[in-house]
Amino acid sequence: MLTEMDQNKTPLFDALKAYNKSKVIPFDVPGHKHGVGLPEFAEYVGSKVLEIDVNAMECLDNICNPIGVIKEATDLAAAAYGGDYAYFLVNGTSSGVQAMIMSYCHPGDKILIPRNAHKSAIGGIILSGAIPIYIQPEIDERIGIAMGMSMEKVRIAMDEHPDAKAIFLINPTYYGAVSDVREIVKLAKKRDMAVLVDEAHGAHMSFHPELPIGGIQVGADMSAISTHKTGGSLTQSSLLVLNNEKLDVQKVKSIINLTQTTSASYLLMASIDVARKQLAIRGEELLEKVLELSRYGRDKINEIGGYYAFGKDLIGNPGVHDFDETKLGVHVKELGLTGYGVERILRSKYNIQVELADMYNILCIISLGDRKESIDALINALREIKEKYGKPGRGKSIITPPLKNPEVIISPRDAYYSIKRVVKLRDSIGEISGESVMAYPPGIPVVTPGEKITKELVEYIEALKAQKSMLQGTEDPYVDYIKILGMNS
């Protein structure tokens, strides 16, 4: 673990400001040359933004082989999260998730993974050639969403697959549920399994004592962290934190460089540098206000009646060891509404954008940039929606994701590279899928390449389509057709 470091420093941001102050005459890329070549855009976003949108050079270091100010900045980030080493990511946490899996898994290696993992994890499995051993998360049938993994299912999976190279965790889930990460790490270490943590929605958690604990803090080997989601940095900027001195950091770097751009945005990287400083120095103070707003919003929404804003009351339910209160999920089914419908009404009638909607819920992310006025606007809008659109007692029965994991017939990698043909979705029952289907957000696959398509899966996809869920993964944008393995007859 890195020694105590001065978290007030922002080495990359400082170097970028010094470069801008020096008034260099640029004969390198990018071609807009400090914004001069793109005046309309510069006028709107501000000239400073384009003045520091520059290319790698000696004084600014290089993301592909950091030895200067980027290395200093990533060391500070690693120390802030309690790790040994860190890398900046400008392809989002998706690239970090894939790098984690590829760092530990070779073709044919097993990896234990919750079924509600993000699509990027499936991408990592395809790229690595690993064999996924899915652990079914607990499903809360009252609100119709997947939670974390129970310790019982984790133990069973580890006992049945002692040769697995790694276990993949989500901390927290999109909706805020947290598995018992500390105990899972202990079990994995006894079995010499690596622990890889997707903390896309947990960048803030390490900086306040009343929030769930971060994976690195309890001994996980690697964590991919979306600083842009809840940490304050710019969209697409993330961190990969390493917590194992035995891990070959140069190998990890080479894996990241396989897919990450060689032209990393200094705007993105500098924003991580500053966001890390803010969290490290003022995180507890700022997150205290975030928690106050989250609790206020949750209480007021529950007072309206008909809605259920769920939170820490779920702790103790299957798959919920802890809960991230900054995720303000609201169940709307009892008003005879769908999450998709409430999302559309909020945007079209009240100019409010939520993070996601599903069949029965909406999810609002409360973070460093929220203020009480915005929470009040949400509360008032939900109160009016109940009065104008609510139809209590007319809510349909809960349609949950399929409770049984699909049968994996061949590895996702082999399926991805196999010969495929296109059929109507309804005609795919009994066949082997050649592509993924997922609702996005949150990007959790219903079916992935190599899995047998069942009637239950098709009916669930059709139910999502009927509610105008944003489905992705198939080449057909409307998911009327799907690719299956095999040649046309």
Side-chain angles (χ1 to χ4, degrees):
M1 187 174 294
L2 290 169
T3 56
E4 191 70 26
M5 301 183 73
D6 183 0
Q7 292 291 338
N8 281 290
K9 292 182 177 179
T10 51
L12 179 56
F13 187 46
D14 290 348
L16 203 53
K17 289 187 290 184
Y19 168 85
N20 180 244
K21 187 177 180 180
S22 70
K23 302 300 179 184
V24 169
I25 300 171
F27 285 102
D28 59 348
V29 297
H32 61 70
K33 303 295 177 74
H34 298 173
V36 176
L38 197 61
E40 181 181 355
F41 190 69
E43 182 181 355
Y44 186 79
V45 303
S47 59
K48 277 281 189 241
V49 172
L50 291 174
E51 286 172 12
I52 61 172
D53 179 36
V54 294
N55 194 29
M57 60 193 73
E58 185 176 359
C59 64
L60 295 178
D61 207 359
N62 190 303
I63 195 173
C64 297
N65 187 37
I67 57 175
V69 290
I70 294 177
K71 176 66 166 59
E72 291 178 45
T74 54
D75 282 350
L76 283 161
Y81 282 95
D84 297 315
Y85 208 90
Y87 286 104
F88 283 164
L89 304 173
V90 294
N91 287 21
T93 296
S94 292
S95 64
V97 165
Q98 292 165 1
M100 289 196 300
I101 295 171
M102 294 170 70
S103 294
Y104 277 98
C105 296
H106 298 139
D109 287 343
K110 294 179 183 176
I111 180 170
L112 307 181
I113 183 169
R115 182 62 195 183
N116 57 332
H118 187 261
K119 67 175 185 176
S120 60
I122 306 305
I125 287 170
I126 290 172
L127 290 169
S128 68
I131 306 298
I133 306 299
Y134 290 114
I135 301 174
Q136 183 67 36
E138 300 301 319
I139 304 295
D140 189 309
E141 295 189 2
R142 175 184 176 186
I143 54 181
I145 59 177
M147 297 299 180
M149 299 183 294
S150 69
M151 287 305 301
E152 179 185 6
K153 288 182 180 178
V154 170
R155 288 191 185 95
I156 290 171
M158 287 183 173
D159 289 343
E160 291 180 348
H161 303 277
D163 55 339
K165 291 294 180 68
I167 181 168
F168 185 89
L169 307 179
I170 308 165
N171 187 46
T173 67
Y174 215 146
Y175 293 92
V178 174
S179 303
D180 192 346
V181 179
R182 189 187 299 272
E183 286 303 310
I184 292 173
V185 169
K186 287 181 182 178
L187 283 180
K189 295 302 179 182
K190 289 179 181 177
R191 292 164 169 79
D192 199 28
M193 285 183 196
V195 181
L196 314 177
V197 189
D198 176 355
E199 291 185 309
H201 296 276
H204 59 298
M205 295 197 313
S206 299
F207 302 97
H208 195 286
E210 294 180 36
L211 288 167
I213 200 159
I216 293 295
Q217 293 173 289
V218 294
D221 296 279
M222 300 178 79
S223 174
I225 301 169
S226 290
T227 50
H228 72 94
K229 284 188 170 73
T230 60
S233 65
L234 294 181
T235 296
Q236 203 173 313
S237 60
S238 295
L239 282 170
L240 181 62
V241 180
L242 285 57
N243 191 38
N244 186 338
E245 293 178 351
K246 297 178 182 178
L247 186 60
D248 186 347
V249 296
Q250 297 304 317
K251 176 186 176 183
V252 176
K253 180 180 75 173
S254 70
I255 290 170
I256 293 172
N257 285 341
L258 284 175
T259 55
Q260 183 157 258
T261 178
T262 58
S263 302
S265 166
Y266 277 85
L267 288 169
L268 299 186
M269 292 190 290
S271 76
I272 303 174
D273 203 18
V274 178
R276 179 271 313 155
K277 172 188 173 181
Q278 179 173 261
L279 286 171
I281 301 300
R282 300 182 58 215
E284 185 169 346
E285 166 201 347
L286 295 172
L287 289 166
E288 181 67 30
K289 295 177 181 178
V290 173
L291 285 170
E292 288 175 4
L293 289 176
S294 301
R295 292 163 181 167
Y296 168 74
R298 188 172 279 109
D299 290 344
K300 290 298 183 181
I301 291 169
N302 282 329
E303 288 175 7
I304 296 172
Y307 296 110
Y308 169 40
F310 47 91
K312 295 195 84 167
D313 55 301
L314 295 178
I315 294 175
N317 290 357
V320 190
H321 176 75
D322 204 346
F323 192 87
D324 175 12
E325 293 181 83
T326 69
K327 310 298 189 291
L328 179 55
V330 183
H331 187 66
V332 302
K333 172 182 169 290
E334 299 309 313
L335 291 176
L337 303 171
T338 68
Y340 301 119
V342 172
E343 177 188 34
R344 286 191 286 269
I345 294 169
L346 282 170
R347 183 55 195 270
S348 63
K349 304 295 184 182
Y350 299 93
N351 206 30
I352 293 173
Q353 180 63 56
V354 301
E355 171 65 14
L356 71 81
D358 63 30
M359 200 87 76
Y360 313 103
N361 309 281
I362 58 170
L363 177 64
C364 302
I365 303 294
I366 313 301
S367 62
L368 305 174
D370 281 298
R371 298 292 180 267
K372 184 175 181 294
E373 304 87 77
S374 61
I375 306 297
D376 284 334
L378 174 67
I379 295 165
N380 292 332
L382 290 176
R383 185 180 290 112
E384 288 189 16
I385 288 172
K386 175 190 175 182
E387 295 170 357
K388 293 181 179 179
Y389 304 96
K391 300 173 183 178
R394 295 185 60 180
K396 297 180 181 179
S397 59
I398 291 283
I399 302 172
T400 59
L403 299 178
K404 185 178 178 183
N405 290 328
E407 183 181 359
V408 179
I409 307 299
I410 68 172
S411 75
R413 182 184 180 91
D414 288 343
Y416 183 82
Y417 286 108
S418 293
I419 295 173
K420 307 175 188 71
R421 58 191 174 93
V422 177
V423 299
K424 289 183 178 179
L425 179 63
R426 183 50 73 162
D427 294 338
S428 69
I429 296 172
E431 301 287 352
I432 302 172
S433 180
E435 52 189 353
S436 295
V437 180
M438 67 204 72
Y440 193 88
I444 297 168
V446 178
V447 66
T448 65
E451 295 177 344
K452 187 174 183 179
I453 301 171
T454 64
K455 181 181 178 183
E456 184 183 25
L457 288 172
V458 169
E459 289 176 346
Y460 182 66
I461 293 169
E462 288 177 337
L464 292 174
K465 287 175 60 179
Q467 294 299 325
K468 296 182 172 58
S469 174
M470 293 175 60
L471 295 176
Q472 292 187 5
T474 54
E475 289 186 5
D476 172 20
Y478 305 103
V479 199
D480 293 326
Y481 294 85
I482 188 171
K483 280 189 169 183
I484 60 171
L485 269 55
M487 300 178 66
N488 290 316
S489 57

